[in-house]
């Protein structure tokens, strides 16, 4: 375990001549900014902006919309390298965060700021995986993805802990505006580090504006299943704790912090498991835990007293954050199928858009399902989608084994 948490463990996964150090520093600071932002965002929207479950679903629809449009956005800049697109994403994230801190807290303006921040975040999303795999040593793609995820989790964890500490001291007048501004400043620092990245990971034969290939059909389907199943927890997991159980910002951020610790520890481990046992086994194996998580998240309040049900839901949120790390396996699957790194970039970016197609509808109608039919059905749907994801993953035919010595 000590080796996993050391700086040397990051170096073993990446090529020394690559720009992975500046890349990881940018990711680390972005994580810190996001930790401050996310640690209080749900409570900010509920308490200051006044959003209910339906409003939150609509806001999440617009937050996920850039993910659907990503394939068109990237098509307009298909001649850019992954490094340049990563930089563009950093600047757009800065603009969105600054708007959130500076604009009045109305539902429309808050949603607009979230949408713009999300646009930059989604542009970076595909590029992070692409750059990580590009900078990785041969046979260490899973480990490199785990290291990248861990770096993000470290920064995010610090942000969460700051929110826990400060908001615990200010129980009445909680300093949302101050920390939104601080998150914006950190987003600016991350953008500065992003500008120091150099590279020429240009596309060549993938200069076509859209990239779909028959061999990636199963990857596209898996991204749709995963996008739907994860959206329920991303959007409504924290809001259940806030609106249903009355959790405050310090409590929610503490839960996020614990999830970040678990993610930091588990990400390199999951990455190595992917390299050793294969992406197919990992994609299939997380189903049982997911079904249990969804059941207790949706039905704990029927089975236990409210305070006990709240603790159980917190534990289930933590378990979901850990099993979600298995999504790294799909990126390794793409790398296994691809003929060159440019295909990896194009396919992962397309996959990001595909998994958001269904995510936006889950976000939009999830609030209505909760309000009209109850949270029980919401998490039953998530469990069914998870089962479908694993059943479909079981049909994958592995043509090439990952390097067991990675």
């Amino acid at each position: 375990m000590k080796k996993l948490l050391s700086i040397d463990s990051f170096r073993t996964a990446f090529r020394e001549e690559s720009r992975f150090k500046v890349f990881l520093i940018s990711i680390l600071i972005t994580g810190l900014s996001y930790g401050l932002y996310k640690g209080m965002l749900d409570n900010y929207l509920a308490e200051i902006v006044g959003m209910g479950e339906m409003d939150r679903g609509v806001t999440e629809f617009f937050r996920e919309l850039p993910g659907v449009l990503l394939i068109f956005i990237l098509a307009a800049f298909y001649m850019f390298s992954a490094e340049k697109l990563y930089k563009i994403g950093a600047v757009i994230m800065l603009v969105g965060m600054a708007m959130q801190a500076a604009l009045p807290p109305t539902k429309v303006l808050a949603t607009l700021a979230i949408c713009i921040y999300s646009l930059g975040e989604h542009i970076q999303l595909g590029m992070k995986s692409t750059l990580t795999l590009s900078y990785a040593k041969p046979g260490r793609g899973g480990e490199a993805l785990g290291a990248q995820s861990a770096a993000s989790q470290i920064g995010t964890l610090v942000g969460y802990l700051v929110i826990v500490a400060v908001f615990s001291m200010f129980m009445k007048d909680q300093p949302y505006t101050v920390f939104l501004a601080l998150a914006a400043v950190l987003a600016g620092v991350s953008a500065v580090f992003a500008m120091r990245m150099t590279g020429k990971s240009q596309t060549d034969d993938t200069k076509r504006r859209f990239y779909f290939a028959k061999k990636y059909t199963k990857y596209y389907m898996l991204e749709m299943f995963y996008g739907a199943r994860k959206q329920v927890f991303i959007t409504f997991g924290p809001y259940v704790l806030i609106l249903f159980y009355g959790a405050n910002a310090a409590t929610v951020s503490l839960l996020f912090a614990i999830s970040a610790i678990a993610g930091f520890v588990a990400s390199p481990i999951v990455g190595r498991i992917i390299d050793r046992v294969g992406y197919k086994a990992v994609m299939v194996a997380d189903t049982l835990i997911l079904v249990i998580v969804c059941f207790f998240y949706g039905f704990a309040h029927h089975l236990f007293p409210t305070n006990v049900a709240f603790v159980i839901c917190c534990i289930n949120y933590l378990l979901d954050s850990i099993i979600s790390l298995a999504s790294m396996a799909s990126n390794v699957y793409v790398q296994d199928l691809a003929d060159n790194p440019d295909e990896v970039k194009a396919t992962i970016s397309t996959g990001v858009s595909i998994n958001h197609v269904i995510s936006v509808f889950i976000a939009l109608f999830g609030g209505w399902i909760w309000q009209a039919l109850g949270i029980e059905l919401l998490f039953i749907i998530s469990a069914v989608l998870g089962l479908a994801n694993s059943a479909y993953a079981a049909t994958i035919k592995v043509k090439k084994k990952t390097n067991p010595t990675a």
Side-chain angles (χ1 to χ4, degrees):
M1 186 64 66
K2 181 177 180 181
K3 181 180 178 181
L4 283 174
L5 303 179
S6 68
I7 298 298
D8 288 339
S9 68
F10 287 85
R11 294 193 180 116
T12 60
F14 295 94
R15 294 180 289 106
E16 285 294 333
E17 71 275 14
S18 68
R19 298 290 291 174
F20 80 92
K21 294 179 182 177
V22 174
F23 175 54
L24 291 180
I25 290 173
S26 174
I27 287 177
L28 180 69
I29 298 174
T30 296
L32 176 57
S33 173
Y34 180 77
L36 295 176
Y37 174 61
K38 177 60 177 175
M40 60 184 172
L41 179 62
D42 290 292
N43 288 87
Y44 173 76
L45 295 177
E47 299 170 18
I48 305 300
V49 182
M51 289 187 180
E53 57 266 44
M54 281 290 293
D55 297 321
R56 187 67 180 94
V58 172
T59 297
E60 193 66 15
F61 170 82
F62 286 103
R63 190 191 75 83
E64 292 286 14
L65 192 59
V68 178
L69 300 177
L70 184 63
I71 189 171
F72 303 102
I73 296 168
L74 294 181
F77 301 99
Y78 68 96
M79 74 296 294
F80 286 1
S81 67
E83 286 85 356
K84 184 171 289 188
L85 287 169
Y86 181 84
K87 296 173 186 178
I88 291 172
V91 172
I92 295 175
M93 288 169 67
L94 170 60
V95 172
M97 189 72 78
M99 290 175 60
Q100 195 71 263
L103 296 176
T106 66
K107 293 179 181 179
V108 173
L109 293 178
T111 300
L112 177 62
I114 288 171
C115 184
I116 292 175
Y117 180 86
S118 178
L119 173 60
E121 184 180 22
H122 281 92
I123 289 174
Q124 280 199 345
L125 184 60
M127 297 307 103
K128 286 196 297 184
S129 296
T130 299
L131 289 169
T132 299
L133 293 172
S134 176
Y135 295 162
K137 292 179 180 178
R140 294 185 180 268
E143 184 178 354
L145 287 168
Q148 177 241 103
S149 178
S152 178
Q153 295 284 1
I154 293 171
T156 303
L157 169 62
V158 174
Y160 289 154
L161 291 177
V162 170
I163 295 299
V164 172
V166 175
F167 279 63
S168 294
M169 294 185 292
F170 295 90
M171 296 303 294
K172 292 184 178 180
D173 299 320
Q174 299 193 331
Y176 289 109
T177 303
V178 173
F179 280 91
L180 285 173
L182 180 57
V185 171
L186 289 169
V189 175
S190 176
V192 170
F193 275 96
M195 295 303 165
R196 296 178 59 190
M197 294 172 57
T198 58
K200 298 291 183 180
S201 55
Q202 299 279 5
T203 56
D204 43 45
D205 65 333
T206 56
K207 284 185 178 181
R208 67 204 78 176
R209 300 221 163 191
F210 302 97
Y211 187 77
F212 292 95
K214 185 177 180 180
K215 65 181 177 180
Y216 297 116
T217 299
K218 290 190 176 182
Y219 167 70
Y220 301 143
M221 289 298 298
L222 288 169
E223 284 298 296
M224 288 191 67
F225 283 127
Y226 177 72
R229 151 258 192 282
K230 58 108 175 164
Q231 193 61 45
V232 173
F233 274 90
I234 289 177
T235 306
F236 301 106
Y239 241 52
V240 168
L241 300 177
I242 294 168
L243 296 186
F244 201 84
Y245 293 101
N248 58 28
T251 301
V252 172
S253 193
L254 178 60
L255 177 61
F256 290 164
I258 296 172
S259 297
I261 294 172
F264 169 65
V265 175
S267 289
I269 297 173
V270 172
R272 292 184 180 186
I273 290 173
I274 293 170
D275 288 336
R276 284 168 170 75
V277 306
Y279 47 79
K280 178 179 177 179
V282 172
M283 285 191 282
V284 173
D286 65 347
T287 302
L288 181 59
I289 299 176
L290 174 65
V291 172
I292 294 172
V293 164
C294 291
F295 173 79
F296 281 109
Y297 216 100
F299 292 89
H301 60 286
H302 291 299
L303 303 174
F304 307 98
T306 301
N307 58 334
V308 176
F310 173 69
V311 173
I312 290 173
C313 286
C314 289
I315 294 172
N316 278 286
Y317 184 88
L318 174 62
L319 288 174
D320 181 74
S321 70
I322 294 173
I323 63 176
S324 292
L325 296 172
S327 64
M328 292 187 292
S330 63
N331 291 333
V332 180
Y333 174 43
V334 170
Q335 187 183 42
D336 197 22
L337 292 177
D339 295 324
N340 56 68
D342 293 323
E343 267 194 24
V344 176
K345 170 188 171 182
T347 303
I348 290 176
S349 296
T350 301
V352 169
S353 286
I354 288 174
N355 80 35
H356 283 76
V357 170
I358 193 168
S359 292
V360 296
F361 293 105
I362 294 294
L364 185 61
F365 294 108
W368 175 83
I369 292 172
W370 177 2
Q371 188 177 68
L373 303 174
I375 61 173
E376 298 86 355
L377 181 60
L378 198 59
F379 288 97
I380 288 174
I381 291 173
S382 183
V384 171
L385 290 169
L387 286 170
N389 180 87
S390 291
Y392 198 78
T395 67
I396 291 175
K397 295 181 179 179
V398 180
K399 296 180 179 180
K400 180 174 59 180
K401 293 183 179 180
T402 52
N403 187 352
T405 63

